[in-house]
Amino acid sequence: MAFFLLKFVFFTLRFISNLVSRLILSATAHLLVLFIHGFRAPGQATHGAIQQVSEVIKSWFEYLLELIMEAISALISTLFDYLIEGLTASASGATSAIGGLIEKTKNSLDRLTDFPEIFEGVPEMVFEMVMDLWNNCKDALGYVIEHA
């Protein structure tokens, strides 16, 4: 049951991140194309402006991707910190009841067969979120290149 709940949470996070990134990137691409068409100048001026805009867009996307990667890294680091903090708090409180804890741990471990599958889902979800963001970036840049 917990496995399916985590799969649903992973799917929801991926769906929301994909939707938000597609919305932001598509809107930016459409506005950029409108801007380019509105201020179209002849010959070299247009070419130079498009090159400058494409450089700005590339640097913005690189910065955005770096920011997202840092946020994911910070999130994973925070989760591990909470996990370690919870484990140390449990260890300090468990010294008085080691005998009962060993028996409960033995019974709990028999029921925890889903953990390898759960931990396999986290990297897959992060990878799919990054791939969705990358595909949305490529679609937005393709739109700008095609319609500019």
Side-chain angles (χ1 to χ4, degrees):
M1 171 97 180
F3 176 72
F4 291 111
L5 182 60
L6 280 172
K7 282 284 194 182
F8 178 73
V9 168
F10 292 160
F11 172 78
T12 304
L13 286 173
R14 180 177 168 236
F15 175 76
I16 290 172
S17 71
N18 185 24
L19 185 66
V20 168
S21 67
R22 179 166 292 279
L23 180 67
I24 290 171
L25 296 173
S26 294
T28 303
H30 283 82
L31 288 174
L32 184 63
V33 168
L34 286 175
F35 179 76
I36 290 170
H37 284 293
F39 293 102
R40 186 169 292 229
Q44 293 178 344
T46 301
H47 181 68
I50 290 174
Q51 282 182 335
Q52 297 246 342
V53 169
S54 69
E55 290 298 319
V56 169
I57 290 172
K58 285 178 188 176
S59 65
W60 185 77
F61 283 131
E62 288 173 2
Y63 176 74
L64 182 65
L65 188 60
E66 182 179 321
L67 227 118
I68 290 171
M69 293 303 286
E70 286 179 18
I72 290 171
S73 174
L75 177 67
I76 291 172
S77 175
T78 303
L79 289 174
F80 281 129
D81 288 344
Y82 283 135
L83 179 67
I84 290 171
E85 184 178 306
L87 290 174
T88 56
S90 296
S92 66
T95 55
S96 63
I98 285 232
L101 183 60
I102 289 175
E103 176 138 336
K104 289 181 182 179
T105 304
K106 180 182 171 190
N107 292 338
S108 295
L109 286 177
D110 292 338
R111 289 183 263 149
L112 292 179
T113 58
D114 292 339
F115 270 150
E117 295 169 356
I118 291 171
F119 288 127
E120 289 173 4
V122 173
E124 179 183 340
M125 178 197 65
V126 171
F127 176 75
E128 289 177 358
M129 288 171 68
V130 171
M131 288 305 296
D132 287 341
L133 178 66
W134 178 251
N135 289 334
N136 290 339
C137 286
K138 286 190 333 186
D139 290 346
L141 286 175
Y143 179 82
V144 169
I145 290 169
E146 183 179 325
H147 293 92

